[in-house]
C-alpha cells in the first residue's frame, strides 16, 4: 500500500512569519495538532510545528501568541516521506525518528500528512478484511487504541 492511499490530503500549511495565534486557529479549525511550515516565497517545506511546540514556547517565554512567530517555536529538522513510497517505508521512518506524523511530499511540494492514526486505521481495516482471526483483529484494535490515545493527548 502506498502512502498516498492513506495520507490526509491538502493539509493546512503555515509560514514561518505567521503568528502562533493564527496557527492555533488553523489547528482548531482543522481539528489537528500538527502543521507543516513552508517558506513563503519558495513554498517548500522548512519545518513543522505542533500544538505542544507552541504551548511550550509560549509558557517558557511568556509572550502573547498574537506576537509570536511560528519561526520561534517550529522544528526545523523534519522527517518526510514521498507520496508514492510504500507504507512500510513510512512506518520505518516514523519508528526510527520517533515521530507520530510525517509531511508527505510530491517532489518538493507538501501534498499531505501521514499519521500513526492513519496507519492504525489501515491495519484495522486490513485485519477485518482477513476474516475472523481474533489475534489479528485484536492487534489492529490495540493499534487503533494507541493512535486514538495519542490523538487525544494532542
Amino acid at each position: 500500500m502506498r502512502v498516498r492511499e492513506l495520507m490526509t490530503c491538502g493539509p493546512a500549511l503555515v509560514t514561518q512569519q505567521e503568528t502562533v495565534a493564527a496557527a492555533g486557529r488553523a489547528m482548531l479549525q482543522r481539528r489537528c495538532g500538527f502543521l507543516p511550515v513552508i517558506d513563503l516565497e519558495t513554498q517548500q517545506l522548512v519545518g513543522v510545528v505542533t500544538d505542544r511546540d507552541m504551548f511550550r514556547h509560549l509558557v517558557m517565554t511568556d509572550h502573547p501568541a498574537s506576537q509570536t512567530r511560528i519561526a520561534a517555536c517550529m522544528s526545523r529538522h523534519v522527517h518526510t516521506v514521498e507520496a508514492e513510497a510504500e507504507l512500510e517505508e513510512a512506518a520505518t521512518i516514523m519508528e526510527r525518528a520517533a515521530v507520530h506524523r510525517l509531511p508527505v511530499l510530491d517532489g518538493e511540494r507538501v501534498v499531505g500528512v501521514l499519521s500513526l492514526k492513519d496507519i492504525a486505521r489501515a491495519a484495522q481495516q486490513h485485519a477485518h478484511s482477513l476474516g475472523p482471526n481474533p489475534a489479528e483483529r485484536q492487534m489492529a484494535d490495540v493499534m487503533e487504541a494507541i493512535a486514538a490515545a495519542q490523538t487525544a493527548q494532542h
Side-chain angles (χ1 to χ4, degrees), residues 13-67:
L13 305 172
V14 293
T15 66
Q16 301 169 79
Q17 294 80 15
E18 290 183 60
T19 65
V20 168
R25 285 190 294 275
M27 287 179 178
L28 286 172
Q29 185 178 33
R30 291 284 187 107
R31 293 194 292 174
C32 68
F34 175 93
L35 296 172
V37 181
I38 60 170
D39 181 85
L40 185 60
E41 293 178 20
T42 66
Q43 298 294 298
Q44 291 183 349
L45 184 69
V46 294
V48 296
V49 67
T50 66
D51 50 358
R52 184 175 183 203
D53 296 334
M54 295 187 312
F55 176 77
R56 288 174 53 112
H57 182 80
L58 293 175
V59 168
M60 290 172 46
T61 63
D62 199 26
H63 291 145
S66 61
Q67 296 175 11

Side-chain angles (χ1 to χ4, degrees), residues 41-112:
E41 293 178 20
T42 66
Q43 298 294 298
Q44 291 183 349
L45 184 69
V46 294
V48 296
V49 67
T50 66
D51 50 358
R52 184 175 183 203
D53 296 334
M54 295 187 312
F55 176 77
R56 288 174 53 112
H57 182 80
L58 293 175
V59 168
M60 290 172 46
T61 63
D62 199 26
H63 291 145
S66 61
Q67 296 175 11
T68 304
R69 304 283 171 212
I70 290 299
C73 57
M74 67 185 229
S75 298
R76 296 176 195 284
H77 182 69
V78 183
H79 297 276
T80 63
V81 67
E82 285 291 323
E84 294 304 321
E86 292 292 331
L87 186 56
E88 291 79 16
E89 180 183 342
T92 299
I93 293 169
M94 292 171 98
E95 182 181 9
R96 288 184 180 156
V99 296
H100 297 135
R101 301 172 198 95
L102 290 174
V104 180
L105 304 179
D106 185 359
E108 297 290 321
R109 190 171 59 99
V110 178
V111 294

